[in-house]
Amino acid sequence: MDILVVDDNNEYRDTLVRYFKSKGFRTEGAIDGVDGLARYRKRSHRVVLLDLMMPGMGGEEMLYEMSKWDELPVVIVMTVSSREDEYRYQLYEKGCFYYEEKPIDVQETAWKIRNLIQIQKRDGRSVQGAGSQMNREIQEFYEYVLDQIGQEEMNVAEIARKMGVGRRALDSMAREFLSVTMHDVIRNLRLLKAREICREGGAGNVKELAGMVGYRDAGYFSRLYREAFGSSVVEDLKSGVRLPAFGELRGRM
C-alpha cells in the first residue's frame, strides 16, 4: 500500500516516512499541498497523511482539491492546534477519514491503516470506497438529526433504524470518528441548533426554544446550554449571539 506524507516540517515528515517504510508500506513525502497533489496524481496513493497548517497550499485546500475527484484516497489529517477542532466536521464532509493530533501515535496510525486493508480484503471494497462510504453515513446521520431536531423522542436506536444500520455500528462510527457516543452528538447538535435560533431571534422564551430543539424540560435545557457555551440562554435570547463553530462546545463532541 502506498502512503503519501504531506508536511512542511522536514524532520517530522522524514521521520514518518522512515517509520512507515520500516513497517512495509511504500511511502514518500511532500513538502506542501502543491507538491502533494503533484505526487498523488503520478502515483495515486491509497493513504495520505496530511498536515493541516502549511505555507502556500495548506492541508484544507489540498483536501478540497482532492474532494473534486471521483475517488478519494484515505486522508488522515494531522493538526497541532486545538483551535482547528472547529474544522473537524467540515473536514469529514470533504473526505477526511481520520483526524489526529500531532505528534501522531505512529503505531496506532499504522494499525488503523492495516485495519483498512483488512476491510478491503473482507468486503472486496477499495480502501477509498470504505472511507467514502463512512463519510456518506456521517453526512446522512447529520442530515437526519437536523431534520428531526425538534422531536424529543429521537434517539440513537430510532436513527439507526431509519438509516438501516445497527445501533452498535452507529455508536462505533461516532467513537471512531468523533471520540464520543452518538448520544453526545445528538445532544450537541440540539444545542448548536438552539444557539443558531438565538442568533436569528427565532424564539420568544426559553420554554419555546427548548421545545424547538427537542427538550421538554426548560430548566434542564438551560443547564446544558450554559455548560456548553458558558452563557445564559435567557441573556442570549435577549441580545442575540453569533452562530458558533463546532469547536466552541466545551469538551469534545
Side-chain angles (χ1 to χ4, degrees), residues 44-64:
S44 296
H45 306 77
R46 292 291 186 87
V47 177
V48 176
L49 292 172
L50 180 60
D51 185 26
L52 198 58
M53 301 298 292
M54 295 182 290
M57 179 183 286
E60 187 175 359
E61 187 178 353
M62 179 177 170
L63 183 58
Y64 173 74

Side-chain angles (χ1 to χ4, degrees), residues 65-230:
E65 290 298 323
M66 288 192 295
S67 71
K68 300 176 183 178
W69 301 341
D70 292 335
E71 192 169 17
L72 275 170
V74 171
V75 179
I76 301 176
V77 165
M78 305 179 293
T79 179
V80 296
S81 174
S82 60
R83 71 181 179 84
E84 292 156 7
D85 285 350
E86 66 189 69
Y87 298 122
R88 185 177 306 176
Y89 298 91
Q90 292 93 328
L91 292 172
Y92 287 140
E93 291 176 2
K94 291 176 182 176
C96 168
F97 197 80
Y98 288 115
Y99 185 96
E100 303 282 4
E101 186 172 340
K102 294 172 70 176
I104 66 171
D105 184 325
V106 289
Q107 290 182 323
E108 181 178 339
T109 301
W111 177 87
K112 288 177 178 178
I113 293 171
R114 294 191 187 282
N115 190 48
L116 292 173
I117 297 173
Q118 293 303 315
I119 292 174
Q120 180 185 29
K121 291 179 178 178
R122 183 189 66 204
D123 298 344
R125 293 183 291 171
S126 69
V127 174
Q128 293 97 323
S132 298
Q133 174 65 22
M134 189 68 79
N135 284 315
R136 285 194 295 271
E137 289 173 355
I138 288 176
Q139 183 63 27
E140 182 182 352
F141 167 79
Y142 284 151
E143 290 174 355
Y144 179 80
V145 172
L146 291 174
D147 184 59
Q148 303 292 319
I149 203 77
Q151 303 300 316
E152 182 182 6
E153 63 273 13
M154 179 175 59
N155 54 50
V156 177
E158 175 66 13
I159 294 171
R161 187 181 68 81
K162 291 287 187 180
M163 292 179 61
V165 299
R167 175 172 179 168
R168 288 186 178 180
L170 205 56
D171 267 325
S172 294
M173 182 172 66
R175 292 183 185 279
E176 183 68 37
F177 276 77
L178 310 175
S179 301
V180 294
T181 66
M182 276 297 177
H183 174 77
D184 294 329
V185 175
I186 293 170
R187 179 198 63 212
N188 290 342
L189 286 175
R190 289 187 192 275
L191 293 171
L192 283 168
K193 183 62 178 179
R195 185 83 157 171
E196 180 181 359
I197 293 171
C198 282
R199 180 183 68 90
E200 297 174 347
N205 54 58
V206 175
K207 184 176 181 180
E208 180 184 359
L209 177 60
M212 292 173 71
V213 294
Y215 287 102
R216 182 180 301 176
D217 187 333
Y220 176 64
F221 162 71
S222 296
R223 289 194 297 274
L224 291 179
Y225 188 96
R226 181 179 287 278
E227 289 173 1
F229 302 113

Side-chain angles (χ1 to χ4, degrees), residues 9-21 106:
N9 185 312
N10 295 334
E11 182 178 358
Y12 190 70
R13 181 186 65 248
D14 292 345
T15 297
L16 292 181
V17 169
R18 285 195 301 271
Y19 176 81
F20 287 109
K21 279 185 175 180
V106 289

